[in-house]
Amino acid sequence: MSAAAPEPAAQQGATAPEPGARLGAAALTPVFVRLRLSLLRGGLRQSAGRRAAYLASSALALLAACFLSLGLVLLHGNTHADAVTVPLAALLALGWAVMPLFFPSGDETLDPSRLVMLPLRPAPLVQSLLVASLVGVGPLFSLCVLAASAVALAGTPGAWALAVLAVPLALLVCVSLARAVAAANVRLLTSRRGRDLAVLSGLVIAVGAQLVNFGVQQLGSAGLERLEPVAGAVRWVPPAAALGAVASAGEGSYGSALAQLALCALALAGLLHLWRRSLERLMTAPDGSTLQAAAPDAVRRRGRDPLARLLPAGRTGTVMERSLRYVWRDPKTKAAWVTSLAVGLIVPVFNALQGSGSVYFACFAAGMLGIQMYNQFGQDTSAFWMVAMTISSPRDAYVELRGRALALLVITLPYATLVTVLTTALIGDWELLPEAVGLSFALLGAMLATGAWASARFPYSIPQEGHKNVAAGQAGLAWISVFGGMVAAAVLCAPVLALDLWLHLADRASAAWLLLPAGTAYGIGITLLGLRLAAPRTARRLPEILAAVSKG
Amino acid sequence: MTETGQGKAPGTAPAVRVRGLWKRFGEQTAVAGIDLELPAGRFIGLVGPNGAGKTTTLSMVTGLLRPDEGSVEVAGHDVWRDPAAVKARIGVLPEGLRMFERLSGRELLGYTGRLRGIPGPETDRRADRLLDVLGLADAQHKLVVDYSTGMRKKTGLAAALLHNPEVLFLDEPFEGVDPVSAQTIRAVLERYTASGATVVFSSHVMELVESLCDWVAVLAAGTIRAHGTLDEVRGGAPSLQEAFLRLVGAEGRLDDSHLDWLGGGAR
């Protein structure tokens, strides 16, 4: 694609009367439209596979657009039409907003850094890029869907008239939303803090997927009427508000219709303004990371923090303090933790909400959080040498691993308890609470034990850039470490599970509360045993562990 | 320096004794049988071209990399058999390894000192002094990840000095460091060796080694080509650079005919 890029620049050079002259939007627009087309052509020319993929996906998108449009048009006159079309428009806009985050390189005209060297002013640039963005399969698809939605909603002549305005407006909001997000994203990625945030973005998707899954299941059981209140609210959110305006006009409330349309126009203006500001910053300001390092970073945290004062003295406290700081400050560690916390909560609680859950599902939280004990040294990256230099006996290694386990427990113990109580409260089966907590603690102990051992035996690197969590060539190692460990942890829990089963089968459920102290004691015991076994191995294998975790 | 004071006068027991050290990575031999004794109380330069095995050697000497064969003794203690004695006596600034960069410079020093078993208040006192001397006091509450290369090297040096080691190993401490920071590092190291401690550092900048070190070992293709005092290694050559090029067999002049088109008027 890059081969095609200089072409329009040269064209532009030929049409520009003199260097430094201001190019108006009128002159620039055809240039950018041609640039987009030639980038598309250049991309297709590159390889047969790419051409096939592009043609197939375009055909598929157009086919989907046809069917979707047909379906929407058939809704014409249906009283629930707005319950479908309005959320659909919102979904479409959401798609436009997230797309540039996933395919930042999908369209080079989306990347403002490519335009930095051209002598262009932001205002005409924004206008012409906006027009150029309307060329493509994506905008065509959106146009079909939006137009069909408008047809589905429009009943009165007034509504038809409004639809003529509303559809292009909604499309423009979608496209400028994508552009504004893309520009903001590039700006974000030029600073360290921004890159840190980008690592966390994968998580939003993971948690979002769970929520969407939950929503869809709710919808499946309740039907389209469930969407009515959603549609009612979304009707006022641009660009769905444009379709909301058509619906309002159809119902005869022209005041609302005009307000909704105005809201869309306002949103378009706002987005264009944001996009323009991002472009200006990108084209004139230096790399964000340079500025950041030079900026004086307020005098924060003079003296010892409160955190340090609460922790025990010596190596234990020192290790805990560092581990806990990393949970918050290191983007990779933070992402892993937030995922564990979120999934550990969502699975039992949502299952309970849907009535398909059980109190025992709450153990999931302990299991998810226990995973954090795995690959402890890989989480250090090659900075592990600083730890290795201070471990000269199995005792040092033991204290180090114990400190890390304790740091984990500071968060995990209250959290696992909370999730169990919450799940029990939702299900209402309070008698099961003590044994569920006991089982959770036993599982947590088993996870900590196997995690400590796997950290010493199967360490692997976690690359610090990007979304990958395993360095190339170490995926097998990671699988053995985490999945082997989880199976082992489940097996290690067997005695406690067996006790629970026996109590229930032997009709002694009244004594099941015993599982709380038994599970807790078992968890503590097995953790200590795991640490004891892992420590000499860690102390013996320091150089090997360092080599394994330094590949990222 | 009180507990480690004895045995540091030049000419007594060596600070580092290396015997028959080998390391292979697959097909490639990085270190091919090094025997070396580094005298105590000196400023020692380990010089060699890129890929000579400097980092590999220093990693094995400091216990961060396990050798295939051979033994290493630091201050009379075997690195692999008596790690506790060795690790307490050495300070290390490795090259190409990260630090805990999501801590601030100050937190990093506090963490390192406490891990090394220095009491908290004493760690903080030493960290204060080192941060002041190394010109890091203004940036001490900033995360190390936002530091420049020079600031990172200085932070790494401070972390390596915190427990007042007997022998200090520095891998390329001046690489990518601006002249001001380099001068600071240099002053600290000179002050440190003057008190009788040993510094071993690797570099491929001969001028630097010549001006700093009084003892030099030349490493090329995984073997020691020469070692001894600066004068001994320099021999009759006018500078260490010349002597070095001769030792590693790279003194051949550029063949003029290949690049006769380069420069001049005709393009």
Side-chain angles (χ1 to χ4, degrees):
Chain A
M1 272 210 186
S2 55
E7 190 182 309
Q11 281 172 9
Q12 182 212 309
T15 51
E18 56 188 281
R22 293 180 67 158
L23 275 166
L28 215 52
T29 306
V31 173
F32 274 109
V33 172
R34 273 201 304 271
L35 170 63
R36 227 179 123 81
L37 288 172
S38 48
L39 281 175
L40 202 61
R41 256 203 319 275
L44 292 183
R45 216 179 293 148
Q46 218 163 38
S47 83
R50 201 164 164 168
R51 193 157 50 229
Y54 180 81
L55 289 178
S57 60
S58 304
L60 214 66
L62 291 177
L63 205 67
C66 284
F67 278 112
L68 204 56
S69 305
L70 200 66
L72 286 168
V73 170
L74 286 178
L75 273 179
H76 181 75
N78 188 314
T79 42
H80 289 308
D82 63 331
V84 177
T85 53
V86 173
L88 187 67
L91 206 65
L92 196 68
L94 190 70
W96 277 96
V98 279
M99 201 179 56
L101 298 177
F102 289 100
F103 308 101
S105 57
D107 176 358
E108 270 141 301
T109 58
L110 272 177
D111 180 2
S113 59
R114 302 222 171 213
L115 308 169
V116 166
M117 295 310 289
L118 302 176
L120 302 172
R121 302 265 157 199
L125 187 63
V126 163
Q127 288 172 40
S128 46
L129 277 176
L130 185 64
V131 175
S133 319
L134 292 172
V135 179
V137 178
L140 185 61
F141 175 85
S142 306
L143 183 66
C144 289
V145 172
L146 289 171
S149 297
V151 170
L153 290 172
T156 61
W160 281 104
L162 215 62
V164 173
L165 267 177
V167 171
L169 191 60
L171 184 64
L172 282 176
V173 171
C174 282
V175 172
S176 55
L177 181 63
R179 291 277 159 161
V181 168
N185 188 37
V186 172
R187 224 176 104 186
L188 194 70
L189 292 180
T190 52
S191 76
R192 199 261 301 157
R193 265 170 225 272
R195 283 189 295 271
D196 287 1
L197 272 179
V199 173
L200 286 173
S201 65
L203 234 152
V204 177
I205 312 304
V207 176
Q210 291 284 340
L211 291 174
V212 167
N213 179 30
F214 180 64
V216 168
Q217 281 183 11
Q218 287 282 305
L219 199 64
S221 56
L224 274 184
E225 289 79 40
R226 274 303 269 263
L227 274 179
E228 289 282 4
V230 179
V234 173
R235 259 174 117 143
W236 289 92
V237 179
L243 291 180
V246 180
S248 297
E251 290 154 12
S253 45
Y254 285 95
S256 306
L258 284 179
Q260 280 160 327
L261 215 56
L263 210 58
C264 274
L266 208 66
L268 180 62
L271 284 170
L272 289 178
H273 178 71
L274 279 179
W275 179 17
R276 186 183 155 155
R277 270 217 355 229
S278 290
L279 274 180
E280 268 169 14
R281 286 286 294 269
L282 277 170
M283 297 175 106
T284 53
D287 188 294
S289 52
T290 330
L291 286 177
Q292 177 128 55
D297 187 343
V299 192
R300 42 171 192 164
R301 286 190 300 277
R302 281 263 168 218
R304 311 280 293 137
D305 343 359
L307 174 66
R309 252 178 271 135
L310 287 173
L311 298 172
R315 182 166 196 134
T316 307
T318 309
V319 171
M320 286 177 75
E321 192 183 337
R322 212 266 313 152
S323 296
L324 290 173
R325 281 213 169 100
Y326 259 53
V327 171
W328 181 247
R329 287 198 201 152
D330 183 55
K332 280 273 167 170
T333 314
K334 198 197 233 169
W337 267 99
V338 177
T339 311
S340 281
L341 290 172
V343 177
L345 177 73
I346 285 172
V347 170
V349 169
F350 277 23
N351 273 306
L353 278 176
Q354 286 167 355
S356 60
S358 128
V359 175
Y360 296 109
F361 269 32
C363 293
F364 203 79
M368 282 308 293
L369 291 166
I371 291 178
Q372 299 309 321
M373 189 65 195
Y374 287 79
N375 201 26
Q376 273 295 322
F377 305 129
Q379 295 176 28
D380 292 0
T381 69
S382 56
F384 175 70
W385 75 269
M386 301 192 89
V387 176
M389 282 312 293
T390 61
I391 293 179
S392 41
S393 67
R395 174 73 198 164
D396 290 339
Y398 176 74
V399 179
E400 173 77 30
L401 282 166
R402 193 186 58 190
R404 290 172 187 240
L406 284 173
L408 219 117
L409 286 173
V410 167
I411 303 174
T412 310
L413 274 185
Y415 194 77
T417 313
L418 179 81
V419 171
T420 316
V421 170
L422 207 62
T423 312
T424 315
L426 285 170
I427 292 176
D429 206 350
W430 287 101
E431 275 161 33
L432 287 178
L433 180 64
E435 53 185 296
V437 173
L439 274 177
S440 274
F441 288 175
L443 178 64
L444 190 59
M447 292 292 282
L448 291 183
T450 49
W453 192 82
S455 294
R457 181 63 189 83
F458 300 112
Y460 57 88
S461 302
I462 301 175
Q464 290 303 287
E465 304 287 322
H467 286 288
K468 279 204 182 125
N469 280 324
V470 184
Q474 290 186 318
L477 212 57
W479 269 86
I480 293 175
S481 170
V482 176
F483 288 90
M486 278 159 79
V487 170
V491 171
L492 285 176
C493 273
V496 184
L497 262 177
L499 176 67
D500 190 28
L501 272 177
W502 179 76
L503 284 175
H504 280 281
L505 290 177
D507 233 8
R508 289 176 202 197
S510 57
W513 64 270
L514 272 175
L515 233 63
L516 177 57
T520 311
Y522 186 80
I524 294 172
I526 199 139
T527 303
L528 291 176
L529 186 70
L531 294 176
R532 284 254 173 254
L533 289 174
R537 196 171 264 283
T538 305
R540 226 173 27 240
R541 285 171 41 89
L542 289 172
E544 285 73 22
I545 295 174
L546 178 62
V549 301
S550 304
K551 297 188 197 301
Chain B
M1 279 292 118
T2 45
E3 47 141 8
T4 57
Q6 72 269 42
K8 276 199 182 165
T12 54
V16 179
R17 181 182 284 135
V18 178
R19 287 211 194 90
L21 203 61
W22 281 83
K23 185 71 193 180
R24 293 177 198 85
F25 296 109
E27 293 286 287
Q28 192 206 347
T29 304
V31 171
I34 288 184
D35 292 284
L36 192 60
E37 283 190 6
L38 304 178
R42 302 283 193 113
F43 209 130
I44 298 164
L46 187 61
V47 302
N50 293 330
K54 300 189 294 287
T55 296
T56 311
T57 306
L58 281 180
S59 298
M60 288 192 287
V61 168
T62 51
L64 291 175
L65 180 69
R66 201 185 297 282
D68 293 339
E69 276 170 54
S71 69
V72 180
E73 273 176 30
V74 176
H77 301 274
D78 189 287
V79 170
W80 298 102
R81 250 174 273 139
D82 193 1
V86 173
K87 285 180 177 174
R89 286 178 169 80
I90 62 173
V92 185
L93 174 61
E95 160 78 5
L97 295 181
R98 289 198 180 90
M99 294 188 282
F100 285 102
E101 288 163 14
R102 301 283 167 164
L103 299 180
S104 69
R106 198 191 165 75
E107 288 165 356
L108 183 72
L109 293 186
Y111 169 74
T112 314
R114 284 174 178 83
L115 272 198
R116 288 219 173 250
I118 308 169
E122 177 63 13
T123 301
D124 292 338
R125 201 179 62 83
R126 292 185 185 186
D128 271 337
R129 298 280 174 283
L130 282 166
L131 288 166
D132 270 342
V133 169
L134 289 166
L136 291 169
D138 288 341
Q140 59 177 322
H141 295 293
K142 244 191 318 188
L143 300 193
V144 175
V145 70
D146 292 328
Y147 280 9
S148 65
T149 311
M151 287 160 83
R152 274 167 204 250
K153 292 269 184 192
K154 288 194 286 187
T155 309
L157 180 66
L161 284 171
L162 209 53
H163 58 294
N164 190 16
E166 225 171 291
V167 188
L168 187 60
F169 296 95
L170 311 169
D171 198 356
E172 303 278 7
F174 297 100
E175 188 85 342
V177 175
D178 68 279
V180 181
S181 296
Q183 187 50 43
T184 313
I185 294 179
R186 213 177 144 145
V188 170
L189 292 180
E190 275 168 345
R191 155 96 181 63
Y192 173 68
T193 41
S195 71
T198 312
V199 173
V200 181
F201 86 97
S202 75
S203 178
H204 51 240
V205 184
M206 295 307 140
E207 290 80 2
L208 195 71
V209 174
E210 200 164 14
S211 69
L212 267 176
C213 302
D214 40 24
W215 206 93
V216 179
V218 179
L219 193 62
T223 55
I224 297 288
R225 295 292 163 89
H227 60 88
T229 60
L230 196 55
D231 286 332
E232 285 165 11
V233 171
R234 210 158 30 195
S239 70
L240 185 62
Q241 171 89 1
E242 296 282 331
F244 174 75
L245 291 178
R246 208 172 292 164
L247 280 166
V248 302
E251 53 177 340
R253 288 271 157 259
L254 198 63
D255 185 350
D256 265 352
S257 62
H258 290 310
L259 293 180
D260 52 1
W261 51 269
L262 191 61
R267 292 284 189 271

